[in-house]
Amino acid sequence: MKAFKLENEPKITTGFKAPEHYFDDFSEKILQQLKDKKEVKVIPIYKRKKVLSLLAAAVVVIALMIPIVNNYNNTSKDLDEDTLETYLSYQSNLNQYDLIKELDTKDIDKLNKNVALEQETLEDILATNPNLENLISE
């Protein structure tokens, strides 16, 4: 391979050329353009009553929307107990053994914790119920 020397190769021109004497008075032109520009009048926000009233209205609207958005996002998709109980009571092909079969130990522990009958209440139920034998057998 032959040696490559950058200085010896023909140079390619870029095609861009600046006009003659363009940079001689360039800084003077820029300074003149800066002097000719008018200053922009700045109006502070605290002096504008309309802007403040709109800002206050926006804050009030946002404050009123927070409970609505919070309630919308927190709506539960879970079934409540009454709906579930109604559904299960109308299922004719479902019996107590099917329900017991689906329970695991966690569910049984939860049921035991939730059921808190006093001795007197239990005696009243057993004394007034004519189907005592049916309850005992279940």
Side-chain angles (χ1 to χ4, degrees):
M1 185 168 190
K2 70 178 192 176
F4 177 75
K5 293 186 180 178
L6 191 60
E7 293 83 22
N8 295 341
E9 293 297 318
K11 306 239 179 198
I12 300 173
T13 58
T14 61
F16 297 106
K17 292 184 180 178
E20 292 182 19
H21 307 293
Y22 179 76
F23 292 108
D24 293 342
D25 56 351
F26 181 73
S27 60
E28 293 171 5
K29 287 180 184 176
I30 295 294
L31 288 175
Q32 184 64 32
Q33 288 178 355
L34 288 175
K35 288 180 185 175
D36 291 343
K37 284 197 174 189
K38 297 178 182 176
E39 287 191 29
V40 177
K41 185 177 180 182
V42 178
I43 301 172
I45 193 166
Y46 59 87
K47 289 186 178 180
R48 305 260 328 223
K49 292 180 182 178
K50 187 175 185 180
V51 173
L52 285 177
S53 63
L54 289 176
L55 184 63
V59 168
V60 168
V61 167
I62 290 172
L64 291 175
M65 289 298 291
I66 288 173
I68 295 169
V69 171
N70 193 18
N71 189 20
Y72 179 73
N73 289 338
N74 288 339
T75 53
S76 176
K77 303 267 190 279
D78 297 334
L79 294 174
D80 59 338
E81 293 177 9
D82 296 333
T83 308
L84 185 60
E85 185 178 349
T86 305
Y87 173 76
L88 291 176
S89 66
Y90 285 116
Q91 295 298 315
S92 61
N93 59 351
L94 188 66
N95 59 22
Q96 64 187 7
Y97 299 110
D98 294 334
L99 293 175
I100 292 171
K101 186 173 59 173
E102 297 298 323
L103 294 176
D104 59 355
T105 56
K106 284 184 192 177
D107 295 331
I108 294 171
D109 290 340
K110 285 181 185 177
L111 287 173
N112 287 336
K113 289 179 185 176
N114 290 340
V115 176
L117 292 176
E118 295 180 8
Q119 190 70 24
E120 296 172 0
T121 309
L122 188 58
E123 288 175 4
D124 288 341
I125 291 172
L126 291 174
T128 58
N129 195 344
N131 294 331
L132 182 61
E133 294 173 0
N134 190 14
L135 289 176
I136 293 172
S137 67
E138 287 183 6

